[in-house]
Amino acid sequence: MGTQLPFEFNPELDLLLERTVDIPAEWIWQAWTQPELLMPWFCPKPWSVTECDIDLRPGGMFRTVMQSPEGEAMPAGEGCYLELVENRRLVWTSALLPGFRPAPSLAEGEFVFTAYLLLEPEGAGTRYTAAVVHQTAAAKAQHEAMGFHEGWGIALDQLVAFMKARHH
């Protein structure tokens, strides 16, 4: 792990995607914090994002709705921003709703997590670190089995391609 994480990484509970990309941190920040820039890349195609709400402040809302290729809407959950350091760090959790209100009890098969997006300038690009912290090993295993590494990796590739096309 090249990036200094703001928590103690536990391989039994946590997932990590770390990569250097050839776009500036400012572009990545914009793509993660503006709904119109997040929706085109956020989930691996042929899935799409049909709704996105972002209230970019501690206690603010982060919510997306994804749509399957067959047209089925899948609320991807609602979360609460915990920490924002422009162009450097974005932290949110599904354990809390906006206003730091506790989320309702989970339905069977659901899990809570806290996500850290860390951006560090590296040469002409950015060291991109996404770390997701889970409450239990079972939740981590479920998230991993859902395709965390592949899905978040594809989404990052889509983010980079989208932002390059937008800036050229």
Side-chain angles (χ1 to χ4, degrees), residues 50-71:
T50 58
E51 296 178 39
C52 177
D53 292 307
I54 292 176
D55 179 6
L56 198 61
R57 61 184 175 87
M61 177 193 306
F62 179 71
R63 184 185 75 85
T64 59
V65 175
M66 297 179 189
Q67 183 173 300
S68 74
E70 298 75 34

Side-chain angles (χ1 to χ4, degrees), residues 3 8-9 12 18 30 48 60 67 75 92 108 124 145 167-168:
T3 301
E8 189 170 333
F9 184 80
E12 311 244 328
E18 197 170 33
Q30 291 166 5
S48 61
Q67 183 173 300
W92 70 98
E108 180 146 350
H167 285 275
H168 288 104

Side-chain angles (χ1 to χ4, degrees), residues 46-99:
W47 285 71
S48 61
V49 175
T50 58
E51 296 178 39
C52 177
D53 292 307
I54 292 176
D55 179 6
L56 198 61
R57 61 184 175 87
M61 177 193 306
F62 179 71
R63 184 185 75 85
T64 59
V65 175
M66 297 179 189
Q67 183 173 300
S68 74
E70 298 75 34
E72 182 183 355
M74 305 277 297
E78 188 173 330
C80 175
Y81 287 111
L82 301 174
E83 182 183 13
L84 302 102
V85 180
E86 188 171 354
N87 302 325
R88 290 288 180 268
R89 184 184 305 191
L90 191 62
V91 183
W92 70 98
T93 185
S94 64
L96 298 173
L97 297 177

